[in-house]
Amino acid sequence: MFKKVLIANRGEIAVRIMRTCKEMGIETVAVYSEPDRLALHVLEADEAISIGPAEPSESYLNIEKIIDVAKATGAEAIHPGYGFLAENPLFAKACEDSGIVFIGPPSRVIEDLGNKTLARTMMSKAGVPIIPGMLEATEDTQLLKKEADSMGYPLIIKAAAGGGGKGMRVVRAPEEFVEACTGAISEAQKAFGDGSIYLEKYLDRPRHVEFQILADEHGNVVHLFERECSIQRRHQKIIEETPSPALTEGLRARMGEAAVKVAKTSGYVNAGTVEFLLEPSGNFYFLEVNTRLQVEHPITELTTGTDLVRHQLEVAAGKPLGLRQENLQQRAHAIECRIYAEDPACGFIPSPGKIIGYEEPAGPGIRVDSGIHEGYEVPVHYDPILSKLIVVAEDRQFARLRMIRALENYRITGITTTVAFLLDVVRSIPFAKGETFIDFIRTHFAQWKPDEDLARVAAVAYVVDEILGGSKTVAAVSRTGYPTPWQSLGAWRL
Ligand code: ADP
């Protein structure tokens, strides 16, 4: 096994990877940009090396610098986390060329699967159902318009090199097409340096259901069941759960088989995710492969009793997978809520700033993967994910009630977060019924506003309490030296 691993990432995922490394006796090297010098991943690592200014291209996306740090610190392997360089074949190749192990699939596999039209062609040939649409991408708007008119509407425009919802546009009528098309091309060009786009039929109210896979260099491939990720904003997930309320045993087996076929067809090694869209009819279609550890991997860990990062490290070190499909079981029910520094009442715009008060929920079946602490300043430069709240309980109903309690006890002050919004979603009747489709937020929560009455009641209670002489407040300072509102307990809080 490796003695030292560099984590080319930041935030909660860097911290999460380091935890498993520590349990395995592996030393960790963190890299960080200027505004991150007091970030949790820096404090948790055995060694931390500064790699430049805030700008991602100068730090977390700088391949050369990161490889140099690995060499200088003697790290034998690099874990890329998710985002940043995780799905960049040039980075995986640079690691391979420098004799450093990239903890992920071979660069060639990342390259093949990173091209959406190539992946669609490959999977369609292998007999995996794909979403009806084009198999080649182009920037020729005339050609695209012809295709669009013959396919019919609604349709979805996607960037061949796409990811993170960038370059994607839903088009509902022919007259909207050309404008959407030029917008998507320029967005894709900016985001990926490649403006080529293609069209798919826009499916009506599908669910997003994905399968976790693990594969080793010795030809073993298993799947670790599904994750239902239909609750999304801007085509990006915010709540995930497993098992999916929509799968029967038979459908699960068929989709799992298809996921393993996708992995085998692409020559996959290490952990990956095969994403599908599932229609109410039970028809499912290959969407794409994410060639990395996913944000939502903990719900799989909690329901299969595995540590996916440990498996990633073992596979990367050349060991055969210790798992067999017939021994894998899905137990209990897990839900994850992503906690973002975003304002859900205002189109989910990022809301960076300083975290003044921070208190995590605790108790049975609760896991918090966090990258923040009290007094931490959330920078503007990166993805605004703060942490992930994950619960596990015997069944879906108990998991939902546990998530409600956990969210109620999760206190983050100083910045706007998604906590109150998530609480309303998890409490809602459609969520309780498992009616989770990709248009869930748009259908039920488009006009969401925080409960201002509650804030007003608290303010009035505070003033009344002060007028009556105030309660015995305990002036306190937190471990990090910042005053914490949670420790200055007054009767008004009741
Ligand atoms: P990205 O790689 O940019 O995240 P994906 O292709 O994975 O994009 O799609 C992200 C989300 O967009 C899906 O989970 C789904 O909600 C929606 N989506 C993508 N393709 C379609 C489609 N053909 N029909 C309906 N919704 C789609």
Side-chain angles (χ1 to χ4, degrees), residues 92-111:
K93 182 81 175 53
C95 291
E96 289 160 7
D97 292 347
S98 321
I100 295 167
V101 177
F102 175 79
I103 302 169
S107 57
R108 183 194 51 78
V109 175
I110 303 179
E111 190 167 357

Side-chain angles (χ1 to χ4, degrees), residues 15 44 87 111 186 222 228 247 264 273 280 312 314 318 343 349 364 381-382 399 432 475 485 490:
V15 175
E44 294 264 323
E87 291 181 279
E111 190 167 357
S186 80
V222 296
E228 156 95 42
L247 296 200
K264 288 191 170 158
T273 296
Q312 284 196 293
E314 287 177 354
D343 186 353
I349 52 161
H381 320 280
Y382 313 114

Side-chain angles (χ1 to χ4, degrees), residues 116 131 156 158 163-165 168 200-203 208 232 235-236 275 277 287-288 438:
K116 291 194 176 191
I131 300 165
I156 185 163
K158 287 192 186 180
M168 233 157 65
E200 275 175 16
K201 177 174 180 245
Y202 188 68
L203 303 181
H208 175 120
Q232 306 178 344
H235 300 297
Q236 297 299 300
E275 298 187 331
L277 290 183
L287 187 60
E288 65 167 343
I438 61 164

Side-chain angles (χ1 to χ4, degrees), residues 77-360:
I78 299 185
H79 197 305
Y82 56 71
F84 293 122
L85 295 169
E87 291 181 279
N88 185 329
L90 297 176
F91 181 56
K93 182 81 175 53
C95 291
E96 289 160 7
D97 292 347
S98 321
I100 295 167
V101 177
F102 175 79
I103 302 169
S107 57
R108 183 194 51 78
V109 175
I110 303 179
E111 190 167 357
D112 289 352
L113 293 173
N115 182 318
K116 291 194 176 191
T117 43
L118 191 67
R120 279 163 60 78
T121 310
M122 200 157 53
M123 296 316 153
S124 161
K125 277 191 190 147
V128 179
I130 60 167
I131 300 165
M134 294 168 67
L135 288 175
E136 279 191 41
T138 172
E139 290 187 43
D140 182 342
T141 40
Q142 263 182 331
L143 186 74
L144 286 158
K145 178 79 170 90
K146 245 194 234 156
E147 285 279 353
D149 291 341
S150 76
M151 262 173 69
Y153 299 82
L155 55 80
I156 185 163
I157 301 176
K158 287 192 186 180
K166 294 206 181 83
M168 233 157 65
R169 297 278 192 288
V170 179
V171 187
R172 294 180 193 277
E175 57 277 12
E176 297 164 11
F177 184 79
V178 176
E179 198 186 320
C181 204
T182 36
I185 291 173
S186 80
E187 196 174 300
Q189 182 64 44
K190 255 190 241 143
F192 316 110
D194 172 6
S196 51
I197 56 171
Y198 70 101
L199 313 176
E200 275 175 16
K201 177 174 180 245
Y202 188 68
L203 303 181
D204 184 33
R205 297 194 84 211
R207 292 172 183 259
H208 175 120
V209 178
E210 60 186 31
F211 276 69
Q212 175 70 51
I213 50 163
L214 272 175
D216 65 17
E217 287 170 2
H218 312 281
N220 301 305
V221 185
V222 296
H223 74 79
L224 289 93
F225 310 100
E226 80 278 11
R227 291 184 291 255
E228 156 95 42
C229 311
S230 301
I231 308 234
Q232 306 178 344
R233 48 106 183 72
R234 279 188 260 111
H235 300 297
Q236 297 299 300
K237 308 153 190 168
I238 48 171
I239 300 180
E240 303 95 352
E241 67 180 302
T242 185
S244 162
L247 296 200
T248 57
E249 272 312 309
L251 185 53
R252 177 171 296 115
R254 276 187 286 131
M255 291 180 81
E257 251 167 60
V260 168
K261 194 186 243 180
V262 168
K264 288 191 170 158
T265 304
S266 59
Y268 206 87
V269 180
N270 215 291
T273 296
V274 182
E275 298 187 331
F276 297 102
L277 290 183
L278 171 67
E279 287 188 317
S281 62
N283 288 336
F284 63 89
Y285 305 93
F286 168 77
L287 187 60
E288 65 167 343
V289 182
N290 286 137
T291 56
R292 54 170 160 85
L293 190 66
Q294 298 272 94
V295 177
E296 59 274 22
H297 76 276
I299 56 172
T300 298
E301 295 185 322
L302 293 177
T303 48
T304 56
T306 52
D307 179 336
L308 290 171
V309 174
R310 183 168 60 78
H311 284 293
Q312 284 196 293
L313 287 158
E314 287 177 354
V315 164
K319 289 194 181 178
L321 261 184
L323 303 170
R324 290 287 164 274
Q325 194 67 58
E326 56 277 18
N327 299 336
L328 281 164
Q329 269 184 357
Q330 221 175 5
R331 291 177 55 239
H333 196 101
I335 307 177
E336 173 184 278
C337 282
R338 300 188 187 189
I339 315 298
Y340 282 99
E342 286 180 354
D343 186 353
C346 210
F348 293 91
I349 52 161
S351 68
K354 188 179 208 134
I355 295 171
I356 299 171
Y358 186 68
E359 198 174 275
E360 287 177 358

Side-chain angles (χ1 to χ4, degrees), residues 460-471:
V460 170
Y462 174 73
V463 172
V464 170
D465 187 47
E466 284 296 302
I467 291 169
L468 294 177
S471 48

